[in-house]
Amino acid sequence: MTWSVTARGAHQPDNTAFTQQRLPAWQPLLSASIALPLFFCAGLAFIGLGLGLYYTSNGIKELEYDYTGNSGTSNCSVSCQCAWYFSLPELFQGPVFLYYELSNFYQNYRRYVVSRDDAQLSGLQSALRQPINECAPYQYSAGGLPIAPCGAIANSLFNDSFSLWHQRSAGGPYVEVPLDRTGIAWWSDYHVKFRNPPLVNGSLALAFQGTAPPPNWPRPVYELSSDPNNTGFINQDFVVWMRTAALPTFRKLYARIRQGNYTAGLPRGAYRVNITYNYPVTAFGGHKRIIFSSISWMGGKNPFLGIAYLVVGSLCILTGFVMLVVYIRYQDQNDDDDDEE
Amino acid sequence: KHYCGNRVKTSKYTVLSFLPKNIFEQLHRFANLYFLALVALNFVPVVNAFQPEVSTIPIGTILAVTAIKDAWEDFRRFKSDKVINNQECFIYSRKEQSYVQKRWKDVCVGDFIQMRCNEIIPADILLLFSSDPSGICHLETANLDGETNLKQRRVVKGFSQRVTQEALLEPEHFHNTIVCEKPNNNLNKFKGYMEHPDKTRTGFGSESLLLRGCTIRNTEMAVGIVIYAGHCPCVIIKNRADSYKKRKGQRQIGTDFLISLKILVILTLFSGHSLWNRTFEEHPPFDVPDANGNFLPLTLGGFYMFLTMIILLQVLIPISLYVSIELVKLGQVFFLHNDLDLYDEETDVPIQCRALNVTEDLGQIQYIFSDKTGTLTENKMVFRRCTIMGSEFSHQENAKRLETPKELDSDSEEWTHYQCLSFPSRWAQGPTTVRGQGGAQPLRRSQSAQVPIQGHSRQRSMGRCENSQPPVAFSSPIEKDVTPDKSLLTKVRDAALWLETLSDTRPAKPSLSTASSIADFFLALTICNSVMVSTTTEPRQRVRIGDGRDGQVKPVIMAHNNITHTSLCFCDGCTCLGNVTISSSTKALGMSLEKIQQLFQRLKLLSLSQSFSSTAPSDTDLGESLGTNVPTTDSDERDDSSVCKGPALGLTSPELCYEAESPDEAALVHAAHAYSFTLVSRTPEQVTVRLPQGICLTFDLLCTLGFDSVRKRMSVVVRHPLTGEIIVYTKGADSVIMDLLEDPARVTDSNVEKKLRKIQARTQKHLDLYARDGLRTLCIAKKVVSEEYFQRWASFRHEAEAALDNRDELLMETAQHLENQLTLLGATGIEDRLQDGVPDTIAALQEAGIQIWVLTGDKQETAINIAYSCRLLDQTDTVYTINTENQETCDSILNCVLEEVKQFHGPRKPDRKLFGFCLPSEMPSTASVDVVPKVGLVIDGKTLNVIFQGKLEKKFLELTQYCRSVLCCRSTPLQKSMIVKLVRDKLRVMTLSIGDGANDVSMIQAADIGIGISGQEGMQAVMSSDFAISRFRHLKKLLLVHGHWCYSRLARMVVYFFYKNVCYVNLLFWYQFFCGFSGSTMIDYWQTIFFNLFFTSVPPLVFGVLDKDISAETLLALPELYKRGQNSECYNLSTFWISMVDAFYQSLVCFFIPYLTYRDSDIDVFTFGTPINTIALATILLHQAIEMKTWTIIHVLVLVTSFLMYFVISLVYNATCVTCNSPTNPYWVMEGQLSDLTFYLVCFLTPVVALLPR
């Protein structure tokens, strides 16, 4: 159409690239010459990454022990003290983390997940006295007192405890390995989300006066630990437990081993883990495990990611080859360029 | 009885009622109701999946966005209402005994309203008084139907005489009772009667009704009584009727909704919560009892869980889909509107999109129903040929001239040259002419003054700036200029001479001589129409006539007195002095006062001496008496070469401007004008015609039987001023007129009989010839009736007009009584030129697999010829024509043709001698056998009737499916819409109707998409259409490019929306396997909501508005690509399922790669959810990126912004929200993840895996 700028009508649309839909556009046409190298490069990169990941993951050591105790394979049973003996033939490269693992425990169950009061846990006075309704039936005790901390999550706090003993030489005495129980929770949880209510006369116990502990707890929340920085709502075991796990089989960090002679890891020798067995798991058919694990830059031991990268990388290369073959044959038939997508 | 006031309220809501009413209306939409039910469900504590407050956000947002949109629209309506309601008008007030200025909203039924020139009429008003002496009020109905020609409305009959002006100005004296029917939605249907105090009744009809919204023109003042006010006026009622068309695309979306719903239910049932729960003997610590410590029974718990899951997985159904679709369509319409290729520079009109919700249907059209006149053709009528008394005048010079303007069109310089020639002479006198009256009078129809100039200057070079309004209809130079046929011209002169002799001798008996017939023929052309004459100098001050001879002279003298200061005061209604030609020329020549006085003396003498009410000296006389060389009779000029016709015409008669209701009439009047039979003025009582010699004849108009589509003719009854005979001139479609002709057998004189037969036969032959050339034919006939007969008839007619019941039928009957026994005068052939680019467009559309039907009211031959010329039919096509009125024959024909078509191989000549007529289909005998000619079908209205009545639709449709194109001739508007409905419903196809006139309205409304052509025949088609274009050729780009784009964009966007939601919801679903089917989510609620509302909502919109899968050039070059849309290839069940499967796969990947990565670690719920959410976002956006065929900077920007926005919002949200979102507690989760390398690794790997198959 011909039209002149001088004689434009009042209703004539603007002739801009936008309104005329003539914006410079790039059509992603993948021709074989681009697609094939792309596939090969990506494949190689993926394989390289995968190999690195795989070896890193393989370098991580893990030692685990199921102490559930109902199958007869272990010496543990309900509510008792029991022990697990193991020996390390060589140095267990540190830093070593001690986890406990529960399986078949659906911490992500909807009604379980919501059964907590974050306001109460952040030290809010009003919430301490009046927990939110989501906590029910662990909202108020039978005596009518508000439960602190309220809710099902807190009520089901994992209460097994472990201690690690090291026998340097055969027949020698067992020396307790110091377990660092601090710093196992997220920094943000410990410092921001979880706060004790303001002390009354310098006493945490008084601050919690007028509240009841969760029904399953043998002692109130302010007696969780003797360390004033690790008791009440900011007890790190408690904080870790309150961060509900994503999957029914989950680990939670119990302690880090990094003090004294054990900064480099666990030296070789015999070890004993003393377990105070309290937590019932038979009700849901669960298992309890204790795990020693070292970590790397990519976290715990998990070969999957490396394998996945390897598989995807090889798939890329494979399809690249297939396409190359197709491309060559296609080109033979008719000398035409075609997009491969 | 209570009548509503005149306040108009089109806004739907008030401030108070907005919220409840709007929400109520929105809830009519099924999806909204569904989501609201879910939200309500969420408030039940036992089943809630989200926090109840949070779950209201999506639906709230959707409702709010829609409400804001509605409120904005309503506010605009409110504002325009306010403007309208506060317009001012003069209402008679009893208190003050005079007309006082009030606002429109104060007008009540029964009020007397005084209206001045150029005022807009505030309500439907019955006209009681007009300052015009003949009781006429002129209206411009441009606001109503876009027609710019003036319409006449007359004062209620019998009222004008009875009540004098004084009485009306004092409405206190008005004691009549007005009874009229309830308001209806037909603008032209109105009847009622007025009961006078003495119990006599006068009927009135729509010709006395001033419709709201029209503008008073050329009338000093009018007074009327309000009949309908407020929401009752016909206009408003008509506009209210708005039909909603259910769209195919929406149906598809509806089914997809249901499928999604089924998937949802299946998914939900899958989560057999109760089954899982049964595996435990006792309650595990994580199974939290209810507030009273009781555990629910398993079945009830299972049911609750089922409901919870429904709430959780509700996102599967895209809540924002409807809003998004609306927004996308808005964007598409914006681009449609802005397309330069759909813009017509001549009329300065871009495409108008009146319906916002049909853009995607443009891409799926399978059938096009087109009107012929004005759609395929220009509807600019050009007089081409005529036949008078059996002799044909081919007008070859005219045909030649018609070629030349085309060349001149391209060469605008030449035109501006002409314009310069004609221009100064006009404007030199212009100011003087205008000055005298211009100061005092309001400006009236100023544009009509400019039209002649515009016609020559090609409109663009000038006139634009000062005149934004379109020029008056039907006045292009091509139509106006008719070069007379030389042989005819001489005969016309003879005829004119004969007319002159007539004035002296008054022969009593009608003569059959050629001369008289020619004169009659042209008189009929001039008189038998409803063309209005508007002169450049206005207002038309009509001089009262009928007061006796003195009365006639007086005003002339008055004019003479005025002449010194007002140039000339024209009284064109009475004498030919009113012709401006003389005035301008005399003025320009510096005529002295004495000479004018002399002139008037002469005039006086003449008028006294002649016994006719109005005859005046001719131009030539005047010119001679003044001793000047005024351009004398037009015919002299016209003998010159054809090229200089433009300026010549401009000089001779620039003042007469014809405003016709149909272009045919204008063409005929212009044609007559070329033979110097000039229509000078027209009032309801009189028509003045200037003859070639310059004599003005004034015919008393006794009756006008207007044109209607049933009778297909119109007639005027006039009293011949010279002979005093009462003559009926009839003009109409040839088929009708030929039947009404006087039976030659009844004529006693055998000689005459023979002659009549001969004339009829030859005229018929010529008519066939014209039709074959694609000309529109009209027959002209006349009849002389005796005085007594007419009086008798007139009384019948009067009764019929006054009747309140079945008035229409009575009128029709009376018309039929008069219109018979006609004597054929001749016939005309008018060419309707094809629009530019029509053949190309039709060829392209046919290539695109669209069947094109032409539904026209025209003659069969004309239609077929147009079809050939616009390549709808090919010369090699076999054309079957079915014309029958018998049901059985029709059935058998259909069977025959069907069989023939089915075994259609090799050249075959359709041989249908028995029924209907057979068109010679030119089969090249040399054509090889493998060239299978395509089939065309021609059918006429009568046959269609038979088909519809005889239940032959199925066979008919079966046959048409073999046809390349179908032509339906002689079809009525009703038939047109019936055909469209038939095809649409029975074949279940997308149909499109295109038309330009009022007769296409029903067809336009019946089709899925109606397209109106904003052309010559007013705006009615445009008003009822979904899109309005100005040229037929625009249809090509509209369908092939925009239709394809709109369809593919929208379809792919909808599929993408479903994909997106299914993909996302499945993530949640997979998680249920790991959380005991408890309905918990690993993704924060807010993130979930934001995900749909913000992060992934804009890219699909941009995609839906901007993406181009194929470039416009390719689409235009390869119309076959359009077939993809017809077959719904972009959006059908299979594509839907493919995308569903894709979504399942991708969600599997997106969930299980993070799952396997984080298995056996101390990951917590929301830390686990964050990478999944991120991965899902990346995958969905990348999927979109792959779907997009073209990338522009906007796409990239939007995609990147969405992705970045996710991170920014998540980071901010996670950093600030410590305890706000209670159970999830997302504090620092995102930050923690961003510092973890694994997160990046996972996020990098997963989308690659998810999208690798693509």
Side-chain angles (χ1 to χ4, degrees), chain A residues 2 7 10-11 13 18 20-21 25-27 108-110 118 193 243-246 248 297 302 309 341, chain B residues 48 273 335 338 340 345 348 460 1049 1071 1074 1078 1080 1108 1156-1157 1162 1164-1165 1189 1191 1222 1225 1237 1241 1254:
Chain A
T2 57
H11 300 106
F18 175 67
Q20 298 307 310
Q21 309 195 36
W26 171 64
Q27 266 191 316
N108 52 15
Y109 199 76
R110 185 176 59 85
D118 279 324
K193 273 172 77 174
R243 186 164 273 280
T244 51
W297 52 270
N302 191 346
Y309 267 93
E341 182 36 11
Chain B
N48 68 344
H273 160 78
F335 280 117
N338 271 306
L340 265 181
E345 55 182 301
D348 188 25
R460 196 194 303 155
R1049 286 168 180 175
Y1071 189 61
F1074 302 97
S1078 62
S1080 49
K1108 286 191 273 191
L1156 290 171
T1157 308
D1162 56 345
D1164 70 276
V1165 177
K1189 296 286 163 60
W1191 284 70
S1222 175
N1225 238 327
L1237 199 65
L1241 286 173
R1254 294 187 78 86

Side-chain angles (χ1 to χ4, degrees), chain A residues 1-4 6-29 39 45-46 49 53 62 64 99 101 104-119 121-122 132-139 152-153 155-156 184 186-189 192-194 216 243-253 279-280 282-285 297-302 304-305 308-310 312-313 315-316 319 341, chain B residues 45-49 273 276-277 280-293 305 308 334-345 348-350 460 464 1033-1034 1042 1045 1049 1071 1073-1080 1085 1105-1106 1108-1110 1152-1153 1155-1168 1185-1186 1188-1194 1218-1219 1221-1229 1232 1236-1238 1240-1242 1244-1245 1248-1249 1252 1254:
Chain A
M1 257 184 104
T2 57
W3 58 283
S4 61
T6 47
R8 284 187 45 156
H11 300 106
Q12 180 157 2
D14 295 336
N15 186 23
T16 61
F18 175 67
T19 53
Q20 298 307 310
Q21 309 195 36
R22 276 190 274 102
L23 281 178
W26 171 64
Q27 266 191 316
L29 276 184
F39 267 88
F46 272 58
L49 248 170
L53 283 172
E62 250 185 27
E64 65 171 69
Y99 294 94
E101 182 181 293
N104 219 11
F105 191 104
Y106 286 79
Q107 248 203 332
N108 52 15
Y109 199 76
R110 185 176 59 85
R111 291 170 57 80
Y112 180 83
V113 168
V114 299
S115 188
R116 63 191 284 166
D117 187 350
D118 279 324
L121 296 175
S122 68
I132 57 167
N133 292 330
E134 269 83 2
C135 282
Y138 307 109
Q139 191 180 11
I153 308 177
N155 188 41
S156 59
I184 55 173
W186 285 31
W187 185 91
S188 61
D189 283 0
V192 183
K193 273 172 77 174
F194 290 83
N216 283 1
R243 186 164 273 280
T244 51
L247 300 167
T249 299
F250 61 87
R251 293 174 186 187
K252 292 215 179 275
L253 190 56
Y279 204 69
T282 45
F284 51 91
W297 52 270
M298 55 163 287
K301 187 184 178 78
N302 191 346
F304 168 76
L305 211 53
Y309 267 93
L310 283 175
V312 173
L315 266 177
C316 277
T319 42
E341 182 36 11
Chain B
V46 273
V47 291
N48 68 344
H273 160 78
W276 174 82
N277 230 5
F280 301 112
E281 296 100 39
E282 48 184 299
H283 294 293
F286 49 83
D287 189 6
V288 184
D290 66 12
N292 302 324
M305 200 50 67
T308 308
F334 170 79
F335 280 117
L336 262 181
H337 195 82
N338 271 306
D339 194 328
L340 265 181
D341 290 347
L342 301 179
Y343 165 78
D344 186 42
E345 55 182 301
D348 188 25
V349 182
R460 196 194 303 155
R464 268 279 162 81
R1033 64 163 191 270
H1034 291 167
H1042 286 288
W1045 279 349
R1049 286 168 180 175
Y1071 189 61
F1073 287 96
F1074 302 97
C1075 70
F1077 301 100
S1078 62
S1080 49
Y1085 305 145
V1105 175
L1106 283 177
K1108 286 191 273 191
D1109 56 343
I1110 304 168
F1152 281 100
I1153 285 183
Y1155 165 74
L1156 290 171
T1157 308
Y1158 289 113
R1159 200 179 50 166
D1160 289 339
S1161 69
D1162 56 345
I1163 194 93
D1164 70 276
V1165 177
F1166 299 103
T1167 318
F1168 179 62
I1186 288 176
M1188 279 191 302
K1189 296 286 163 60
T1190 45
W1191 284 70
T1192 67
I1193 188 79
I1194 298 174
V1218 180
T1219 58
N1221 193 16
S1222 175
T1224 54
N1225 238 327
Y1227 185 67
W1228 222 249
V1229 168
D1236 184 8
L1237 199 65
T1238 316
Y1240 296 105
L1241 286 173
V1242 170
F1244 183 60
L1245 174 74
V1248 173
V1249 176
L1252 201 61
R1254 294 187 78 86

Side-chain angles (χ1 to χ4, degrees), chain B residues 68 165 177 326 400 442 472 495 543 703 774 805 979 1044 1047 1069:
Chain B
I68 288 169
Q165 183 173 342
T177 315
E326 269 172 34
K400 252 188 244 161
V472 172
V543 183
C703 190
D805 303 323
I979 292 172
H1044 181 94
Y1047 168 70
F1069 176 66

Side-chain angles (χ1 to χ4, degrees), chain A residues 26-28, chain B residues 1052 1099 1102-1103 1107-1109 1181-1192 1195-1196 1199:
Chain A
W26 171 64
Q27 266 191 316
Chain B
R1052 290 190 300 154
V1102 173
F1103 173 64
D1107 191 46
K1108 286 191 273 191
D1109 56 343
L1181 289 181
L1182 281 174
H1183 180 96
Q1184 167 100 78
I1186 288 176
E1187 280 281 291
M1188 279 191 302
K1189 296 286 163 60
T1190 45
W1191 284 70
T1192 67
H1195 290 90
V1196 177
L1199 282 179

